[in-house]
Every structure is written in structure tokens, then in C-alpha cells.
Amino acid sequence: TGSTQPQRMLEAVQKNATKGDPESVFSAIDYYCRHKEWAMNVGDEKGLILDSVLTEVNPSIALELGTYCGYSTVRIARLLSPGSKLITVEFNPAFAAVARQIIAYAGVQDKVTLVEGPSGDLIPKMKERFGIKSFDFVFLDHWKDRYVPDTKLLEDCGLLRKGTVLLADNVICPGAPEYLKYVRNSPRYESRYFKSNLEYSKVEDGLEKSVFLG
Ligand SMILES: O=C(NC/C=C/[C@H]1O[C@@H](n2cnc3c(NCCO)ncnc32)[C@H](O)[C@@H]1O)c1cc(-c2ccc(F)cc2)cc(O)c1O
Ligand SMILES: [Mg+2]
């Protein structure tokens, strides 16, 4: 009965997942999006790469650009050590409203701060608003043409430190060619491409992992 697709995804979670079990929440979304309605979640295949990079980095403070319905928010938050935090940015109020409910259903709301608004406005306020020195990990999954400007903004705001890991979704499909050029040609990044597939599909896509060198 949910009128929008995000609302139908939330319904699928409420119907098929176990409250407080993050794994069952994103598995329910994956099942729904694979068998009922495709949606632009990072998905289960690229999700395993996200999981492995997160486990390696074990961030104390992480940033996500583009919450959408909270699928990757839940995937990331479930792997954070006690006391670690994820700030996720979403400017569409309808998506944010669904994401808040999915995050709460998964029981990870204590690790997550969902901030509503455009990343371009919020990034410069991160230090003063959240008392952040710098991010240990950034997941980029918002509009693809905003990856470069927002990365530059993070640099200019002093929010990246030596060793900060940026992980960008969709560098092949839909593609973020300027971003790949930027991080691969800059002496300030050590970049690596993780080949995978577009969520719930056989089309190639991948994640670019870029370590800021300071
Ligand atoms: O377009 C894709 N993602 C965009 C995500 C946008 C979400 O992030 C929010 N958002 C966007 N910009 C900002 C912003 N700042 C920037 C603006 O100020 N500040 C805050 N929030 C922002 C939106 O409100 C959405 O919630 C995509 C497409 C395919 C795809 C592949 C193949 C196909 F055929 C079709 C689609 C696959 C994927 O995995 C994808 O991620
Ligand atoms: Mg994506």
C-alpha cells in the first residue's frame, strides 16, 4: 500500500526483517529490490566490498553523502565499534523520513546522525556542529557530479587527515569520470578500483577506494 517506492521498501523491512537485527534489514531490502522493484542501494555484492573496507578502516567517525533510504547507513553502522559514529547527509525530506525509520528498525540509531540538507552547505558546518576534527572514512553515494566538488570541499574544510579513506560508489555505472580522474591523477591520493556489478544486475560497476595522503 505504500505510495512511494521508498515507503514500499520500508514496508518490506517491517514485514520481513527482525527488529533490531541490521543484517535482516538490509537483506530484506536486497530481496525486495532484486525480486520486486530495483532501487539504487549499494546492494549485496558491492556491499561486501564496503563491509571489508570498513572492517579494515574501523572508523571512529564516518561520513556518508547520500543516505537515500538508509541501506548503506545500516550496513556501515552495524560494523562500527562501540562509541564510533556515522554522520549521514540527505537533502530529500521524504527519503530522510524513510531512512530514519529503517535505521531505527535496524536498531543502529544510536550510532547514526542523519543530517537533512545539501552536502555543500553541511560540510563546512561539520566541525562547529559536531565537534569533528576530521573523518576517518567517507562513503560517497550521492549525485555523481558532486563527488569532486564535495571532495575538494572536505579537503578545504580540513576534514580529511593523512590516511582518511574515501570510498565512492558507481564510478563505472552511472559513472563518475571526473572523480576518477581527480583521485587517480592527484598526488594527494592513493587510489584503487574494486570491480563489481551494479546492484541487483549483471552490468559492471565498482567502488573506488582512495586514501588521502595529507
Ligand atoms: O544516482 C544515483 N545515486 C544518487 C543518489 C542520490 C541520493 O542522495 C541524495 N543527494 C544527492 N545529492 C545530495 C547532496 N548534495 C548534492 C546536491 O546539492 N546532499 C545531500 N543529499 C544528496 C538524493 O536525495 C538521494 O537520496 C545512483 C544511480 C544508479 C543507477 C545506475 C544505473 C541506472 F540505470 C540507474 C541508476 C545506481 C546507484 O548506485 C546510484 O547511487
Ligand atoms: Mg550508488
Side-chain angles (χ1 to χ4, degrees), residues 40 141 144 169-170 199:
M40 59 182 180
D141 195 18
K144 309 313 160 193
D169 189 25
N170 311 115
E199 50 267 30

Side-chain angles (χ1 to χ4, degrees), residues 32-204:
Y32 184 77
C33 294
R34 186 175 289 282
H35 300 288
K36 302 278 188 311
E37 284 187 278
W38 189 93
M40 59 182 180
N41 314 119
V42 73
D44 43 0
E45 211 176 318
K46 288 185 287 178
L48 288 173
I49 300 167
L50 171 61
D51 290 356
S52 71
V53 172
L54 264 165
T55 306
E56 174 206 340
V57 177
N58 187 26
S60 300
I61 178 73
L63 173 68
E64 175 179 60
L65 300 177
T67 316
Y68 185 42
C69 294
Y71 175 94
S72 45
T73 317
V74 168
R75 264 204 103 109
I76 293 167
R78 90 187 197 282
L79 294 176
L80 294 180
S81 304
S84 297
K85 293 293 270 179
L86 169 64
I87 295 178
T88 184
V89 175
E90 174 55 54
F91 72 175
N92 180 313
F95 293 163
V98 167
R100 288 188 199 285
Q101 295 175 78
I102 288 178
I103 291 161
Y105 198 90
V108 295
Q109 66 283 352
D110 295 348
K111 294 175 177 282
V112 176
T113 304
L114 196 164
V115 196
E116 280 187 52
S119 51
D121 298 355
L122 292 168
I123 287 169
K125 296 176 180 145
M126 285 288 164
K127 290 198 178 219
E128 69 191 283
R129 266 217 202 163
F130 303 104
I132 286 151
K133 198 168 165 305
S134 57
F135 288 108
D136 305 313
F137 176 85
V138 182
F139 183 54
L140 299 94
D141 195 18
H142 59 331
W143 295 155
K144 309 313 160 193
D145 62 358
R146 295 294 307 180
Y147 284 14
V148 173
D150 282 351
T151 298
K152 289 182 172 171
L153 193 53
L154 286 163
E155 288 171 20
D156 298 346
C157 294
L159 285 165
L160 305 182
R161 49 111 177 134
K162 200 173 168 53
T164 297
V165 171
L166 305 186
L167 190 65
D169 189 25
N170 311 115
V171 294
I172 302 301
C173 178
E178 304 78 20
Y179 179 75
L180 286 184
K181 266 203 298 286
Y182 182 70
V183 288
R184 290 177 177 174
N185 299 341
S186 163
R188 303 183 78 185
Y189 292 92
E190 184 57 48
S191 239
R192 180 185 159 194
Y193 175 62
F194 290 77
K195 186 173 187 285
S196 185
N197 292 301
L198 177 68
E199 50 267 30
Y200 322 117
S201 118
K202 291 187 172 41
V203 172
E204 181 182 343

